[in-house]
Amino acid sequence: MRKHIVAGNWKMNMTFSEADDLVSAIMDKLEQVTLDANTQMIICPPFPYLEMVSDFGDESYFSVGAQNVSDQEGGAYTGEVSAAMLESMELDYCIVGHSERRAYYHETDAIVAAKVKRLLAHYIRPIVCCGEVLEERESNRQFEVVKRQITDGLFHLTAEEFADVIIAYEPVWAIGTGKTATPDQAEEMHAFIRSLIAEHYGQEVADNTSILYGGSCKPSNAKELFAQPDVDGGLIGGASLKADDFVAIAQAF
Ligand code: 13P
C-alpha cells in the first residue's frame, strides 16, 4: 500500500528561534496523538535550520527534507546546495520544482529533471511539484500543462528510479490564496497523473506512487481531500507553520 504523506513546506519563513519553538511544539503535539501507521510526516525547513530540525529527529515522528537542491554536482556555484551535501546530512527528502521556484527563479522542466536525477543519485527522495496557473485552468489547459511537467520532468527515469519519486500536485491558483481545489478537482488531476505513470511505467508502479495535494490545505478541508482515492496526502505551506494545524492535518487520515 502506498504511503500517506503529510509534508510541511516552511518556505522562507521564521527566525532560528521561532523555528526551534515550532518543532518543539510539533513534537509535543505528536507525542499526544496516535497517527495512522501508514502516515509519514516530513518537515522541510529552510537550509540553515535543517540540522536543528534533524536534531529533534526521532524518525518515528517525522523525517526532514530540503526545499531545493542544485542541479550541479558540486564546485564553483556560489550560494548553491548540492545533493551530496544533503546526503551527507542524512536527509531523506527534497522538494523540487515548486511553482515559486518555477515562477521566480526560472526553473524549467529540464532543470527539474536534472535536480531529480542528482537527488536520486544521492539516495534522496524527490518531492516533485507540478500544477497549472489560473489562466491555464480557465482555458482548460491544466491537463496539458501537468502532462508536460510530469513527462519532461520525470519520465527520463528508469522504473526503478521512479519508485522513489513522490509527486505533489499544487494548482498555483490555490497556493497561499485560501482558495482550495475541490475534492473532485483534486481527484480528477491526481487520477490523471496516476494514469500517465501507469502508461509509462505500468500499473504497479503507478499504484505505489504517493501523489500529494498542495494549495491552501488546512485542518478544515484535509479530511475531504484525503478521502479521495488518488490523494495520498498533502504538501502544506501556511498551515505547516502552526503546530496544531500541521498535526491536525496529519490526523485527517
Ligand atoms: P499553502 O498551503 O500556503 O497554500 O502552500 C502550499 C504550498 O505551496 C506547499 O508547497
Side-chain angles (χ1 to χ4, degrees):
M1 184 174 156
R2 55 184 177 257
K3 269 265 175 229
H4 292 155
I5 295 172
V6 175
N9 174 9
W10 288 2
K11 308 193 180 182
M12 195 171 72
N13 289 297
M14 289 181 299
T15 62
F16 187 86
S17 67
E18 287 165 350
D20 190 86
D21 289 347
L22 176 57
V23 206
S24 298
I26 291 170
M27 283 292 284
D28 286 350
K29 272 263 138 205
L30 287 175
E31 275 162 11
Q32 292 160 29
V33 301
T34 311
L35 296 182
D36 181 279
N38 193 39
T39 301
Q40 166 80 54
M41 290 189 86
I42 305 171
I43 297 178
C44 301
F47 286 128
Y49 309 157
L50 281 169
E51 189 171 2
M52 179 273 284
V53 176
S54 297
D55 282 349
F56 269 88
D58 177 343
E59 275 184 36
S60 56
Y61 288 111
F62 59 80
S63 293
V64 182
Q67 296 175 18
N68 185 30
V69 69
S70 173
D71 59 340
Q72 301 296 323
E73 184 55 31
Y77 297 96
T78 301
E80 290 292 287
V81 172
S82 72
M85 293 173 185
L86 300 179
E87 181 192 3
S88 71
M89 296 183 69
E90 296 177 13
L91 292 187
D92 296 318
Y93 299 91
C94 181
I95 298 170
V96 185
H98 192 280
S99 62
E100 288 146 19
R101 296 218 53 90
R102 292 177 190 261
Y104 309 142
Y105 303 97
H106 317 294
E107 223 163 88
T108 61
D109 293 323
I111 295 174
V112 171
K115 291 184 173 192
V116 166
K117 200 84 185 163
R118 294 266 178 235
L119 288 168
L120 291 170
H122 290 280
Y123 312 102
I124 296 166
R125 298 187 65 186
I127 303 172
V128 182
C129 303
C130 60
E132 78 285 358
V133 300
L134 184 61
E135 187 204 341
E136 290 161 342
R137 177 155 288 260
E138 284 176 346
S139 54
N140 204 27
R141 283 167 48 226
Q142 66 271 29
F143 296 108
E144 172 200 319
V145 169
V146 169
K147 182 175 182 180
R148 191 207 69 225
Q149 291 170 334
I150 297 285
T151 305
D152 295 355
L154 289 172
F155 286 176
H156 58 302
L157 302 175
T158 64
E160 199 188 356
E161 289 170 327
F162 188 87
D164 281 328
V165 170
I166 296 159
I167 293 177
Y169 169 58
E170 302 205 306
V172 181
W173 46 272
I175 295 178
T177 56
K179 242 190 189 176
T180 318
T182 64
D184 285 349
Q185 284 173 323
E187 172 57 22
E188 188 183 31
M189 184 59 83
H190 283 227
F192 173 70
I193 294 169
R194 203 177 303 286
S195 75
L196 295 175
I197 302 167
E199 250 172 62
H200 196 80
Y201 293 110
Q203 195 62 46
E204 194 182 337
V205 173
D207 286 341
N208 285 327
T209 305
S210 297
I211 307 177
L212 319 183
Y213 168 80
S216 300
C217 186
K218 38 189 185 274
S220 58
N221 58 29
K223 226 184 174 76
E224 245 191 322
L225 285 161
F226 296 174
Q228 302 304 310
D230 288 291
V231 178
D232 307 311
L235 181 55
I236 319 298
S240 75
L241 300 173
K242 293 181 200 134
D244 287 357
D245 285 1
F246 187 47
V247 175
I249 291 171
Q251 287 181 285
F253 279 112

